Coordinates of all heavy atoms in Angstrom, one line a residue:
M5 N 86.7 89.9 113.8 CA 86.1 90.2 115.0 C 86.9 89.5 116.1 O 87.2 88.3 116.0 CB 84.6 89.8 115.1 CG 83.7 90.6 114.2 SD 83.6 92.3 114.6 CE 83.0 92.2 116.3
P6 N 87.0 90.2 117.3 CA 87.7 89.6 118.4 C 86.9 88.4 119.0 O 85.7 88.4 119.1 CB 87.8 90.7 119.4 CG 87.5 91.9 118.7 CD 86.7 91.6 117.5
Q7 N 87.6 87.3 119.3 CA 87.0 86.1 119.8 C 87.0 86.1 121.3 O 86.1 85.5 121.9 CB 87.7 84.9 119.3 CG 87.7 84.8 117.7 CD 86.3 84.6 117.1 OE1 85.5 83.9 117.6 NE2 86.1 85.4 116.1
H8 N 88.0 86.7 121.9 CA 88.1 86.6 123.4 C 87.6 87.9 124.0 O 87.7 89.0 123.4 CB 89.5 86.3 123.8 CG 90.0 85.0 123.3 ND1 89.7 83.8 123.9 CD2 90.8 84.6 122.2 CE1 90.3 82.8 123.3 NE2 90.9 83.3 122.2
K9 N 87.2 87.8 125.3 CA 86.8 89.0 126.0 C 87.9 90.1 126.1 O 87.6 91.2 125.9 CB 86.3 88.6 127.4 CG 85.4 89.5 128.1 CD 84.8 88.9 129.3 CE 83.6 89.6 129.7 NZ 82.9 89.0 130.9
S10 N 89.1 89.6 126.3 CA 90.2 90.6 126.5 C 90.5 91.3 125.1 O 90.8 92.5 125.1 CB 91.4 89.9 127.0 OG 91.9 88.9 126.1
A11 N 90.3 90.5 124.0 CA 90.5 91.1 122.7 C 89.4 92.1 122.4 O 89.7 93.2 121.7 CB 90.6 90.0 121.7
E12 N 88.2 91.9 122.8 CA 87.1 92.8 122.6 C 87.4 94.1 123.4 O 87.2 95.2 122.9 CB 85.8 92.2 123.1 CG 85.2 91.1 122.2 CD 84.0 90.5 122.8 OE1 83.4 91.0 123.8 OE2 83.6 89.5 122.3
K13 N 87.9 94.0 124.6 CA 88.2 95.1 125.5 C 89.3 95.9 124.8 O 89.3 97.1 124.8 CB 88.6 94.7 126.9 CG 88.9 95.8 127.8 CD 89.3 95.3 129.2 CE 89.6 96.5 130.1 NZ 90.0 96.1 131.4
R14 N 90.3 95.2 124.3 CA 91.5 95.9 123.7 C 91.0 96.7 122.5 O 91.5 97.8 122.2 CB 92.5 94.9 123.3 CG 93.7 95.4 122.6 CD 94.5 96.5 123.3 NE 95.0 96.1 124.6 CZ 95.5 96.9 125.4 NH1 95.5 98.2 125.2 NH2 96.0 96.5 126.6
A15 N 90.1 96.1 121.7 CA 89.6 96.8 120.5 C 88.9 98.0 120.9 O 89.0 99.1 120.2 CB 88.7 95.8 119.7
K16 N 88.1 98.0 122.0 CA 87.4 99.2 122.4 C 88.3 100.3 122.9 O 88.2 101.4 122.6 CB 86.4 98.8 123.6 CG 85.2 98.1 123.2 CD 84.3 97.8 124.4 CE 83.2 96.9 124.1 NZ 82.4 96.6 125.3
Q17 N 89.3 99.8 123.6 CA 90.3 100.8 124.2 C 91.1 101.4 123.0 O 91.3 102.6 123.0 CB 91.3 100.1 125.1 CG 90.8 99.7 126.4 CD 91.7 98.8 127.2 OE1 92.6 98.2 126.7 NE2 91.6 98.9 128.5
N18 N 91.5 100.6 122.0 CA 92.2 101.2 120.9 C 91.3 102.2 120.1 O 91.9 103.3 119.7 CB 92.6 100.1 119.9 CG 93.7 99.2 120.4 OD1 94.5 99.7 121.3 ND2 93.9 98.0 119.9
L19 N 90.1 102.0 120.0 CA 89.2 102.9 119.3 C 89.1 104.2 120.1 O 89.1 105.3 119.5 CB 87.8 102.3 119.2 CG 86.8 103.1 118.3 CD1 87.3 103.2 116.9 CD2 85.4 102.3 118.3
R20 N 89.0 104.1 121.4 CA 88.9 105.3 122.3 C 90.2 106.1 122.2 O 90.2 107.3 122.1 CB 88.6 104.9 123.7 CG 87.2 105.0 124.1 CD 87.0 104.8 125.6 NE 86.3 103.5 125.7 CZ 86.7 102.5 126.5 NH1 87.8 102.6 127.1 NH2 86.0 101.4 126.5
K21 N 91.3 105.4 122.2 CA 92.6 106.1 122.1 C 92.8 106.8 120.8 O 93.3 107.9 120.6 CB 93.8 105.2 122.4 CG 93.9 104.8 123.9 CD 95.0 103.8 124.1 CE 95.0 103.3 125.5 NZ 96.0 102.3 125.7
K22 N 92.3 106.1 119.7 CA 92.4 106.6 118.4 C 91.7 107.9 118.2 O 92.1 108.9 117.7 CB 91.9 105.6 117.3 CG 91.9 106.1 115.9 CD 91.3 105.1 115.0 CE 91.2 105.6 113.6 NZ 90.5 104.7 112.7
N23 N 90.4 107.9 118.8 CA 89.6 109.1 118.7 C 90.2 110.3 119.5 O 90.2 111.4 119.1 CB 88.2 108.8 119.2 CG 87.4 108.0 118.2 OD1 87.7 108.0 117.1 ND2 86.5 107.2 118.7
A24 N 90.8 110.0 120.7 CA 91.4 111.0 121.5 C 92.6 111.6 120.8 O 92.9 112.8 120.7 CB 91.8 110.4 122.8
N25 N 93.4 110.7 120.1 CA 94.6 111.2 119.4 C 94.2 112.0 118.2 O 94.9 113.0 117.9 CB 95.5 110.0 119.0 CG 96.2 109.3 120.1 OD1 96.3 109.9 121.2 ND2 96.6 108.1 119.9
L26 N 93.2 111.6 117.5 CA 92.7 112.4 116.4 C 92.2 113.8 116.8 O 92.5 114.8 116.1 CB 91.6 111.7 115.7 CG 92.0 110.5 114.7 CD1 90.7 109.8 114.2 CD2 92.8 111.1 113.6
M27 N 91.6 113.9 117.9 CA 91.2 115.2 118.4 C 92.4 116.1 118.7 O 92.4 117.3 118.3 CB 90.4 115.0 119.7 CG 89.0 115.5 119.6 SD 88.0 115.2 121.1 CE 89.0 115.7 122.4
V28 N 93.4 115.6 119.3 CA 94.6 116.4 119.6 C 95.3 116.8 118.3 O 95.7 117.9 118.1 CB 95.6 115.6 120.5 CG1 96.9 116.3 120.6 CG2 95.0 115.4 121.9
L29 N 95.4 115.9 117.4 CA 96.0 116.1 116.1 C 95.2 117.2 115.3 O 95.8 118.1 114.7 CB 96.2 114.8 115.3 CG 97.1 114.9 114.1 CD1 98.5 115.3 114.5 CD2 97.2 113.5 113.4
N30 N 93.9 117.1 115.3 CA 93.1 118.0 114.6 C 93.2 119.4 115.2 O 93.2 120.4 114.5 CB 91.6 117.6 114.5 CG 91.4 116.4 113.6 OD1 92.2 116.2 112.7 ND2 90.4 115.6 113.8
Q31 N 93.2 119.5 116.5 CA 93.4 120.8 117.2 C 94.7 121.4 116.7 O 94.8 122.6 116.5 CB 93.4 120.6 118.7 CG 92.0 120.4 119.3 CD 92.1 120.2 120.8 OE1 93.1 119.9 121.3 NE2 90.9 120.3 121.4
F32 N 95.8 120.6 116.7 CA 97.1 121.1 116.3 C 97.1 121.6 114.9 O 97.6 122.7 114.6 CB 98.1 119.9 116.4 CG 99.5 120.2 115.9 CD1 100.2 121.3 116.4 CD2 100.0 119.4 114.9 CE1 101.5 121.6 115.9 CE2 101.3 119.7 114.4 CZ 102.0 120.8 114.9
R33 N 96.5 120.9 114.0 CA 96.4 121.3 112.6 C 95.6 122.5 112.4 O 95.9 123.4 111.6 CB 95.9 120.1 111.7 CG 96.9 119.0 111.6 CD 96.3 117.9 110.8 NE 97.2 116.8 110.6 CZ 96.9 115.5 110.3 NH1 95.6 115.2 110.2 NH2 97.8 114.6 110.2
S34 N 94.5 122.6 113.1 CA 93.6 123.8 113.1 C 94.4 125.0 113.6 O 94.2 126.1 113.0 CB 92.4 123.6 113.9 OG 91.7 122.5 113.5
S35 N 95.2 124.9 114.6 CA 95.9 126.0 115.2 C 96.9 126.5 114.1 O 97.2 127.7 114.1 CB 96.6 125.6 116.5 OG 97.6 124.7 116.3
I36 N 97.5 125.6 113.4 CA 98.4 126.0 112.3 C 97.7 126.8 111.3 O 98.2 127.9 110.8 CB 99.1 124.8 111.7 CG1 100.1 124.1 112.6 CG2 99.9 125.2 110.4 CD1 100.7 122.9 112.2
K37 N 96.5 126.4 110.9 CA 95.7 127.1 109.9 C 95.3 128.5 110.4 O 95.3 129.5 109.7 CB 94.5 126.3 109.5 CG 94.8 125.1 108.7 CD 93.6 124.3 108.3 CE 94.0 123.0 107.6 NZ 92.8 122.1 107.4
N38 N 95.0 128.6 111.7 CA 94.6 129.9 112.3 C 95.8 130.8 112.3 O 95.7 132.0 112.1 CB 94.1 129.7 113.8 CG 92.8 129.0 113.8 OD1 92.0 129.1 112.8 ND2 92.5 128.4 114.9
F39 N 97.0 130.2 112.6 CA 98.2 131.0 112.6 C 98.5 131.6 111.2 O 98.8 132.8 111.0 CB 99.4 130.2 113.0 CG 100.7 130.9 112.9 CD1 101.2 131.7 113.9 CD2 101.6 130.7 111.8 CE1 102.4 132.4 113.8 CE2 102.8 131.3 111.7 CZ 103.2 132.2 112.7
E40 N 98.3 130.8 110.2 CA 98.5 131.3 108.8 C 97.5 132.3 108.4 O 97.8 133.3 107.7 CB 98.5 130.1 107.8 CG 99.7 129.2 108.0 CD 99.7 127.9 107.2 OE1 98.6 127.5 106.7 OE2 100.7 127.2 107.2
A41 N 96.3 132.2 108.9 CA 95.3 133.2 108.6 C 95.6 134.5 109.3 O 95.4 135.6 108.7 CB 93.9 132.7 109.1
S42 N 96.1 134.4 110.5 CA 96.5 135.6 111.2 C 97.7 136.3 110.6 O 97.8 137.5 110.7 CB 96.8 135.4 112.7 OG 97.9 134.6 112.9
L43 N 98.5 135.5 109.9 CA 99.7 136.1 109.2 C 99.2 137.0 108.0 O 99.7 138.1 107.7 CB 100.6 135.0 108.6 CG 101.7 134.5 109.5 CD1 102.5 133.4 108.8 CD2 102.6 135.6 109.9
K44 N 98.1 136.5 107.4 CA 97.5 137.3 106.3 C 96.9 138.6 106.7 O 96.9 139.6 106.0 CB 96.5 136.4 105.5 CG 97.1 135.3 104.7 CD 96.1 134.5 104.0 CE 96.8 133.3 103.3 NZ 95.9 132.4 102.6
E45 N 96.3 138.5 108.0 CA 95.7 139.7 108.5 C 96.8 140.7 109.0 O 96.5 141.9 109.2 CB 94.8 139.4 109.7 CG 93.6 138.6 109.3 CD 92.8 138.1 110.5 OE1 93.1 138.5 111.6 OE2 91.9 137.2 110.3
K46 N 98.0 140.2 109.3 CA 99.1 141.1 109.8 C 98.8 141.7 111.1 O 99.2 142.9 111.4 CB 99.5 142.1 108.7 CG 100.0 141.5 107.4 CD 100.4 142.5 106.4 CE 100.9 141.7 105.2 NZ 101.3 142.7 104.1
D47 N 98.1 141.0 112.0 CA 97.8 141.5 113.3 C 98.9 140.9 114.3 O 98.9 139.7 114.5 CB 96.4 141.1 113.8 CG 96.1 141.6 115.2 OD1 96.8 142.5 115.7 OD2 95.1 141.1 115.7
K48 N 99.8 141.7 114.7 CA 101.0 141.2 115.5 C 100.6 140.5 116.8 O 101.2 139.4 117.1 CB 102.0 142.3 115.7 CG 102.7 142.8 114.5 CD 103.8 143.7 114.8 CE 104.4 144.2 113.4 NZ 105.7 144.9 113.7
E49 N 99.7 141.0 117.5 CA 99.3 140.4 118.7 C 98.6 139.0 118.5 O 98.9 138.0 119.2 CB 98.3 141.3 119.5 CG 98.9 142.5 120.2 CD 99.9 142.0 121.2 OE1 99.6 141.1 122.0 OE2 101.0 142.6 121.3
K50 N 97.8 138.9 117.5 CA 97.1 137.7 117.2 C 98.1 136.6 116.7 O 98.0 135.5 117.0 CB 96.0 137.9 116.1 CG 95.1 136.7 115.9 CD 94.0 137.1 115.0 CE 93.1 135.8 114.8 NZ 92.0 136.1 113.9
I51 N 99.1 137.1 115.9 CA 100.2 136.2 115.4 C 100.9 135.6 116.6 O 101.2 134.4 116.6 CB 101.1 136.9 114.5 CG1 100.4 137.3 113.2 CG2 102.4 136.1 114.2 CD1 101.2 138.2 112.3
K52 N 101.3 136.4 117.5 CA 102.0 136.0 118.7 C 101.2 135.0 119.5 O 101.7 133.9 119.9 CB 102.4 137.2 119.6 CG 103.3 136.9 120.7 CD 103.6 138.1 121.5 CE 104.5 137.8 122.6 NZ 104.9 139.0 123.4
L53 N 99.9 135.2 119.7 CA 99.1 134.3 120.5 C 98.9 133.0 119.7 O 98.9 131.9 120.4 CB 97.7 135.0 120.7 CG 97.7 136.1 121.8 CD1 96.3 136.7 121.8 CD2 98.1 135.6 123.1
C54 N 98.7 133.1 118.4 CA 98.5 131.9 117.6 C 99.8 131.0 117.6 O 99.7 129.8 117.7 CB 98.1 132.2 116.2 SG 96.5 132.8 116.0
L55 N 101.0 131.6 117.6 CA 102.2 130.9 117.6 C 102.4 130.2 119.0 O 102.8 129.0 119.0 CB 103.4 131.8 117.4 CG 104.7 131.0 117.3 CD1 104.7 130.1 116.1 CD2 105.9 132.0 117.1
Q56 N 102.0 130.8 120.1 CA 102.0 130.2 121.4 C 101.1 129.0 121.4 O 101.4 128.0 122.0 CB 101.7 131.2 122.5 CG 102.7 132.3 122.7 CD 102.3 133.3 123.7 OE1 101.1 133.3 124.1 NE2 103.2 134.2 124.1
K57 N 99.9 129.2 120.9 CA 98.9 128.1 120.8 C 99.4 126.9 120.0 O 99.3 125.7 120.5 CB 97.6 128.6 120.3 CG 96.5 127.6 120.3 CD 95.9 127.5 121.6 CE 94.6 126.7 121.6 NZ 94.1 126.4 122.9
V58 N 100.0 127.2 118.9 CA 100.6 126.1 118.0 C 101.7 125.4 118.8 O 101.8 124.1 118.8 CB 101.2 126.7 116.7 CG1 101.9 125.6 116.0 CG2 100.0 127.2 115.8
N59 N 102.6 126.1 119.5 CA 103.7 125.6 120.2 C 103.1 124.7 121.3 O 103.6 123.5 121.5 CB 104.5 126.7 120.8 CG 105.8 126.2 121.3 OD1 106.2 125.0 121.1 ND2 106.5 127.0 122.1
S60 N 102.2 125.1 122.1 CA 101.6 124.4 123.1 C 101.0 123.1 122.6 O 101.2 122.0 123.2 CB 100.5 125.2 123.8 OG 99.8 124.5 124.8
L61 N 100.2 123.2 121.6 CA 99.5 122.0 121.1 C 100.5 121.0 120.4 O 100.3 119.8 120.5 CB 98.4 122.4 120.1 CG 97.2 123.1 120.7 CD1 96.3 123.6 119.6 CD2 96.4 122.1 121.6
A62 N 101.5 121.5 119.8 CA 102.5 120.7 119.2 C 103.2 119.8 120.3 O 103.3 118.6 120.1 CB 103.6 121.5 118.5
F63 N 103.6 120.4 121.3 CA 104.3 119.6 122.3 C 103.4 118.8 123.2 O 103.8 117.9 123.9 CB 105.3 120.5 123.1 CG 106.5 120.9 122.3 CD1 106.6 122.1 121.7 CD2 107.5 119.9 122.0 CE1 107.7 122.4 120.9 CE2 108.5 120.2 121.2 CZ 108.7 121.4 120.6
R64 N 102.1 119.2 123.3 CA 101.2 118.3 123.9 C 101.0 117.0 123.1 O 100.9 115.9 123.6 CB 99.8 119.0 124.0 CG 98.8 118.2 124.8 CD 97.5 119.0 125.0 NE 97.8 120.3 125.7 CZ 96.9 121.3 125.6 NH1 95.8 121.1 125.0 NH2 97.2 122.4 126.2
A65 N 101.0 117.2 121.8 CA 100.9 116.0 120.9 C 102.2 115.1 121.0 O 102.2 113.9 121.0 CB 100.7 116.4 119.4
V66 N 103.4 115.8 121.2 CA 104.6 115.1 121.4 C 104.5 114.3 122.7 O 104.9 113.1 122.7 CB 105.8 116.0 121.4 CG1 107.1 115.3 121.9 CG2 106.1 116.6 120.0
K67 N 104.0 114.9 123.7 CA 104.0 114.3 125.0 C 103.1 113.0 125.0 O 103.4 112.0 125.6 CB 103.4 115.3 126.0 CG 103.4 114.8 127.4 CD 102.9 116.0 128.3 CE 102.7 115.5 129.7 NZ 102.1 116.6 130.5
K68 N 102.0 113.1 124.2 CA 101.1 111.9 124.0 C 101.7 110.9 123.0 O 101.1 109.8 122.9 CB 99.7 112.4 123.6 CG 99.0 113.2 124.6 CD 97.6 113.6 124.1 CE 96.8 114.1 125.2 NZ 96.0 113.1 125.9
G69 N 102.7 111.2 122.3 CA 103.3 110.3 121.4 C 102.7 110.3 120.0 O 102.8 109.3 119.3
I70 N 101.9 111.3 119.7 CA 101.2 111.4 118.5 C 102.1 111.8 117.3 O 102.0 111.2 116.2 CB 100.0 112.3 118.6 CG1 99.0 111.8 119.7 CG2 99.2 112.4 117.2 CD1 97.9 112.7 120.0
I71 N 102.9 112.8 117.6 CA 103.9 113.2 116.6 C 105.3 113.2 117.3 O 105.4 113.1 118.5 CB 103.6 114.6 116.0 CG1 103.6 115.7 117.1 CG2 102.4 114.6 115.2 CD1 103.4 117.1 116.6
K72 N 106.3 113.2 116.4 CA 107.7 113.1 117.0 C 108.2 114.5 117.3 O 107.8 115.5 116.8 CB 108.6 112.5 115.9 CG 108.3 111.0 115.7 CD 109.2 110.4 114.7 CE 108.8 109.0 114.5 NZ 109.6 108.3 113.5
K73 N 109.1 114.5 118.3 CA 109.7 115.8 118.8 C 110.3 116.6 117.7 O 110.1 117.8 117.6 CB 110.6 115.5 119.9 CG 111.1 116.7 120.7 CD 112.0 116.3 121.8 CE 112.5 117.6 122.5 NZ 113.4 117.2 123.6
K74 N 111.1 116.0 116.9 CA 111.8 116.8 115.8 C 110.8 117.3 114.8 O 111.0 118.4 114.3 CB 112.8 115.9 115.1 CG 114.0 115.6 116.0 CD 115.1 114.9 115.2 CE 116.3 114.6 116.1 NZ 117.4 114.0 115.4
G75 N 109.7 116.6 114.6 CA 108.7 117.1 113.6 C 108.0 118.3 114.2 O 107.7 119.3 113.5
A76 N 107.7 118.3 115.5 CA 107.1 119.4 116.1 C 108.0 120.6 116.1 O 107.6 121.8 115.8 CB 106.7 119.1 117.6
S77 N 109.3 120.4 116.4 CA 110.3 121.5 116.4 C 110.4 122.1 115.1 O 110.5 123.3 114.9 CB 111.6 121.0 116.9 OG 111.5 120.6 118.3
R78 N 110.4 121.2 114.1 CA 110.6 121.7 112.7 C 109.4 122.6 112.3 O 109.5 123.6 111.6 CB 110.7 120.5 111.8 CG 111.1 120.8 110.4 CD 111.5 119.5 109.6 NE 110.6 118.4 109.7 CZ 110.9 117.3 110.3 NH1 112.0 117.1 110.8 NH2 110.0 116.3 110.4
T79 N 108.2 122.2 112.7 CA 107.0 122.9 112.4 C 107.0 124.3 113.1 O 106.7 125.3 112.4 CB 105.7 122.2 112.9 OG1 105.7 120.9 112.2 CG2 104.5 122.9 112.5
I80 N 107.4 124.3 114.3 CA 107.5 125.6 115.1 C 108.5 126.5 114.4 O 108.3 127.7 114.3 CB 107.8 125.3 116.6 CG1 106.7 124.5 117.2 CG2 108.0 126.6 117.3 CD1 105.3 125.1 117.2
S81 N 109.6 125.9 114.1 CA 110.7 126.7 113.4 C 110.3 127.3 112.1 O 110.5 128.5 111.8 CB 111.9 125.8 113.2 OG 112.9 126.5 112.5
K82 N 109.6 126.5 111.3 CA 109.1 127.0 110.0 C 108.1 128.1 110.2 O 108.2 129.2 109.5 CB 108.4 125.8 109.3 CG 107.8 126.2 107.9 CD 107.1 125.0 107.3 CE 105.7 124.9 107.8 NZ 104.9 124.0 107.1
L83 N 107.2 128.0 111.2 CA 106.2 129.1 111.4 C 106.9 130.3 112.0 O 106.5 131.5 111.7 CB 105.1 128.6 112.4 CG 104.3 127.4 111.8 CD1 103.3 127.0 112.9 CD2 103.6 127.8 110.6
S84 N 107.9 130.2 112.8 CA 108.7 131.3 113.4 C 109.4 132.1 112.3 O 109.4 133.3 112.3 CB 109.7 130.9 114.4 OG 109.0 130.2 115.5
R85 N 109.9 131.3 111.3 CA 110.6 132.0 110.2 C 109.6 132.8 109.3 O 109.9 133.8 108.7 CB 111.3 131.0 109.3 CG 112.6 130.5 109.8 CD 113.3 129.6 108.8 NE 112.4 128.5 108.5 CZ 112.8 127.3 108.3 NH1 114.0 127.0 108.4 NH2 111.9 126.4 108.0
L86 N 108.3 132.3 109.2 CA 107.3 133.1 108.5 C 107.1 134.4 109.1 O 106.7 135.4 108.4 CB 106.0 132.3 108.4 CG 106.0 131.1 107.5 CD1 104.7 130.3 107.6 CD2 106.3 131.4 106.1
I87 N 107.2 134.5 110.4 CA 106.9 135.8 111.1 C 108.0 136.8 110.7 O 107.7 138.0 110.4 CB 107.0 135.6 112.6 CG1 105.7 134.8 113.1 CG2 107.0 137.0 113.3 CD1 105.7 134.5 114.5
K88 N 109.3 136.3 110.6 CA 110.4 137.2 110.3 C 110.3 137.8 108.9 O 110.7 138.9 108.7 CB 111.7 136.5 110.6 CG 112.0 136.2 112.0 CD 113.2 135.4 112.2 CE 113.4 135.1 113.7 NZ 114.6 134.2 113.8
S89 N 109.8 137.0 108.0 CA 109.8 137.4 106.6 C 108.6 138.2 106.3 O 107.8 138.6 107.1 CB 109.8 136.2 105.7 OG 108.7 135.4 105.9

């Protein structure tokens, strides 16, 4: 347990930031699952919209420092290749 007032505040701030980061990361992962589900349905419009959503959420997570830029790019690339095949 934090002993000082500033340490208590820091612990609260860390908890708030952790929850915010988890929300963004969960949205990103959910969008990937939605994309894969739309691939199974083979609805081209829905696939395109889902890929845009994944891309947006991926780089929002990069901007917040939750995931790395190369990791996000790799994920988008992998999903784009799934469309072609």
Side-chain angles (χ1 to χ4, degrees):
M5 291 299 299
Q7 300 297 316
H8 298 279
K9 202 170 196 175
S10 61
E12 289 176 10
K13 181 179 179 182
R14 176 57 62 193
K16 287 180 188 177
Q17 288 175 334
N18 286 340
L19 189 61
R20 265 187 246 122
K21 287 178 185 178
K22 178 184 175 185
N23 289 334
N25 289 343
L26 279 175
M27 241 174 50
V28 171
L29 195 59
N30 287 338
Q31 286 177 341
F32 172 59
R33 289 176 178 160
S34 301
S35 67
I36 291 174
K37 289 177 185 175
N38 291 339
F39 175 80
E40 290 171 347
S42 67
L43 273 178
K44 290 180 182 175
E45 294 173 10
K46 298 182 180 178
D47 181 14
K48 291 188 179 193
E49 284 299 317
K50 191 172 179 185
I51 290 171
K52 187 176 179 182
L53 289 174
C54 286
L55 185 63
Q56 288 175 351
K57 183 77 170 173
V58 170
N59 193 12
S60 171
L61 289 171
F63 285 103
R64 188 175 302 161
V66 168
K67 188 175 169 184
K68 288 181 172 271
I70 299 169
I71 59 177
K72 294 183 180 175
K73 186 176 180 182
K74 287 186 179 182
S77 296
R78 192 168 46 245
T79 302
I80 298 300
S81 174
K82 182 181 81 170
L83 296 176
S84 298
R85 280 186 304 217
L86 288 175
I87 292 175
K88 292 178 184 175
S89 63

